[in-house]
Amino acid sequence: MVFGFQRSVLASTIGKNLGAITAFWIGRTILQSYVAKKLADNETFSLLDQSVEDRPFLTAILIKYSCFPEFVKNYGTAILRPVTLPNFIMATLLHGGPWTVLWSYVGVDASRRIQQNAADESITDPLLKIGLIVGGFVG
């Protein structure tokens, strides 16, 4: 329990959003021309780009809730011109907020349980700790 619940939510929110905004900025500035050249003849991208013009915020939200990895969502949203930085930030906050609270709570709860069981160590406690470590890396 390094931060406690409130500070872990705050730190996680700041870190997650700064990372997403940085990826969006890199995608919007440095990688924009490279990706535009690669996707110039892509029919799917053309359709997506046209649909974004009508509802850029809704599109940003839908991309954030898609099953792609975060870096794909951040850089992918950056190449869609109608999605502005404020739209991207709001979509990131709406998508990431519940997950940040959930994972902060799970981390604080797991830390409390491990600290409570440290005093009365039993045969299952080392197995539980090993399972949490392995599950954290694998899952």
Side-chain angles (χ1 to χ4, degrees):
M1 196 161 39
V2 175
F3 295 118
F5 179 68
Q6 288 88 3
R7 288 174 51 193
S8 67
V9 168
L10 180 65
S12 183
T13 300
I14 290 170
K16 180 180 182 73
N17 286 305
L18 284 178
I21 291 168
T22 302
F24 183 84
W25 179 80
I26 289 171
R28 182 59 59 95
T29 57
I30 298 170
L31 299 176
Q32 177 74 29
S33 61
Y34 173 76
V35 174
K37 288 177 194 172
K38 292 288 185 185
L39 296 176
D41 297 329
N42 189 313
E43 187 177 326
T44 305
F45 178 72
S46 298
L47 292 172
L48 180 64
D49 202 30
Q50 290 171 1
S51 69
V52 172
E53 290 180 15
D54 296 335
R55 296 181 179 163
F57 179 69
L58 179 62
T59 304
I61 287 284
L62 291 174
I63 289 172
K64 280 301 205 178
Y65 278 100
S66 68
C67 61
F68 298 111
E70 284 296 317
F71 78 92
V72 172
K73 294 187 261 188
N74 294 333
Y75 289 112
T77 307
I79 63 171
L80 301 172
R81 274 289 173 205
V83 177
T84 62
L85 183 61
N87 282 342
F88 179 77
I89 291 172
M90 284 304 298
T92 302
L93 286 171
L94 287 173
H95 168 260
W99 294 108
T100 299
V101 171
L102 172 73
W103 290 115
S104 295
Y105 178 77
V106 168
V108 168
D109 185 58
S111 176
R112 284 188 188 142
R113 289 174 187 266
I114 289 172
Q115 286 177 354
Q116 284 175 346
N117 289 335
D120 53 311
E121 185 100 13
S122 69
I123 190 68
T124 59
D125 288 335
L127 295 175
L128 176 66
K129 290 177 187 175
I130 292 170
L132 286 172
I133 291 170
V134 171
F137 284 114
V138 174

